[in-house]
Structures are given as structure tokens and as C-alpha cells.
Amino acid sequence: KDVVFRVNLAWCDSIAQLNDILKKHSDRHIFLDLPIKRIKPPNNRYAIEDLVSVVSSNQHIRYLAISNVESGADLEKYVELFPKNLIIIPKIESSKAIENLQNIASILNGPEKIFMLDHDDLFSDILKKNESETKFKEHMKTLIEFCNKNNIKLLRTVGVVFNDEEKRLSQYVN
């Protein structure tokens, strides 16, 4: 009963499929992960109005992570459009986001503040900018200290799930 079911919308092909998943897991708290500015496959996109409708009609959706947040401005429309009881979670994936942690946190108005870290994308962003790999450790330290100081939960990947029942050609192709 303490499990939160995460649905990465990049992997969800339609609102109908999302509704089927939500119905199947109606006894669980749901964490929706919305890909914004995603370029790698899969890259499903949704009209924000459709998502607002789905969230509003499914009280068990408790969390909405927004990817590629680099400033508070990236969150404003989500905070305005979605129900106030939904916890909006910015995904920290770039050096620019690390530089703007205070600005990002100031937009959040839910019952608790949570950040989500994408280690791989943050590291890739550092490499893409030809910065030293040591910058990653500096950013991690900055992020952890900021969250601790400001009573913000920091969600980080711990391990991976492996499965021998995968039937798709690739995780990127259905």
C-alpha cells in the first residue's frame, strides 16, 4: 500500500492508454512523469488540456514530474493549470537548472516540495558543454545541500529493474 506507481508518459502512446493504466492501478498513488523538450525516442506528446482533464478526474494521481526544468518560468503554466493538491516536481537535468534552484523552488506551491534528479542527463549536459567531469560532483553537492537546507525531498535513481520477459525489439520501439 506504500508503493507509488510511476507512469512515464514518454512510453504511453495515448490518453486512452493512460486512462487504462490509471483504471488498472486505481488503488495506488500515481506519479506521472511528463517529458518536455524530449528528443530521444519514444517521444509521445500530449495536449496539456487533456492531461489537466485526466488529472482532475483521477484523484489518485498525486505527483506530476516535469522534465527539463531550467527555471521557475518552465513550471508556471503547470502550477496554474493543475489542481492545487497535485505535487508538481521539477526534474533537474542541466547545469542551468542547478544555477536556478532557488528560482525553481520559489514557484512550487504544493503541500510538499520535491525535486527529481536525472543523473544521466545532468552528466550528459556537462559533457556537451565541454565542462570538466568534476563539475558533476560539484553540481550534485550543490543540489543536495540546497535540498537539505530548504526542506526539499530529492528523488534519485537507485538501481535499475531488469526483466527477461521483454518482447519488444527494443525499449525504444514498440
Side-chain angles (χ1 to χ4, degrees):
K1 73 176 184 180
D2 295 327
V3 171
V4 175
F5 190 80
R6 177 177 174 244
V7 178
N8 187 336
L9 292 171
W11 298 91
C12 196
D13 292 328
S14 66
I15 292 293
Q17 183 184 27
L18 174 58
N19 280 323
D20 289 344
I21 291 168
L22 294 172
K23 185 176 179 182
K24 180 177 179 183
H25 299 284
S26 62
D27 60 337
R28 299 271 181 236
H29 288 161
I30 301 292
F31 181 115
L32 292 182
D33 194 340
L34 179 62
I36 302 295
K37 303 177 203 167
R38 182 181 170 105
I39 54 174
K40 62 187 175 187
N43 193 8
N44 293 312
R45 299 176 196 269
Y46 302 91
I48 195 72
E49 298 79 16
D50 291 337
L51 288 177
V52 169
S53 176
V54 168
V55 169
S56 297
S57 60
N58 287 278
Q59 296 301 312
H60 61 297
I61 299 174
R62 299 277 314 274
Y63 309 94
L64 176 65
I66 308 296
S67 62
N68 293 301
V69 170
E70 293 188 326
S71 73
D74 293 334
L75 292 175
E76 287 174 346
K77 74 177 175 182
Y78 303 100
V79 170
E80 288 174 18
L81 290 172
F82 284 95
K84 300 304 176 214
N85 64 326
L86 183 71
I87 299 170
I88 306 280
I89 302 172
K91 288 178 70 177
I92 306 301
E93 304 179 61
S94 69
S95 295
K96 188 173 180 182
I98 298 295
E99 295 165 8
N100 289 318
L101 294 173
Q102 185 63 53
N103 178 258
I104 293 167
S106 70
I107 298 298
L108 302 176
N109 64 359
E112 62 182 315
K113 291 186 178 188
I114 303 173
F115 282 178
M116 184 175 180
L117 171 65
D118 188 317
H119 295 89
D120 292 343
D121 286 349
L122 177 58
F123 191 75
S124 295
D125 181 66
I126 289 167
L127 294 180
K128 189 177 5 174
K129 293 176 180 170
N130 293 318
E131 296 177 332
S132 167
E133 293 179 17
T134 59
K135 192 75 169 175
F136 179 75
K137 287 184 180 179
E138 292 171 25
H139 282 340
M140 289 298 301
K141 184 175 187 247
T142 298
L143 178 60
I144 292 166
E145 288 176 357
F146 179 84
C147 288
N148 287 340
K149 180 181 174 186
N150 292 282
N151 197 29
I152 298 172
K153 289 182 183 176
L154 178 59
L155 302 179
R156 299 189 266 175
T157 306
V158 179
V160 231
V161 175
F162 291 92
N163 183 334
D164 68 345
E165 297 178 8
E166 178 61 56
K167 303 299 181 212
R168 294 174 293 182
L169 176 65
S170 159
Q171 69 177 9
Y172 299 111
V173 179
N174 287 331

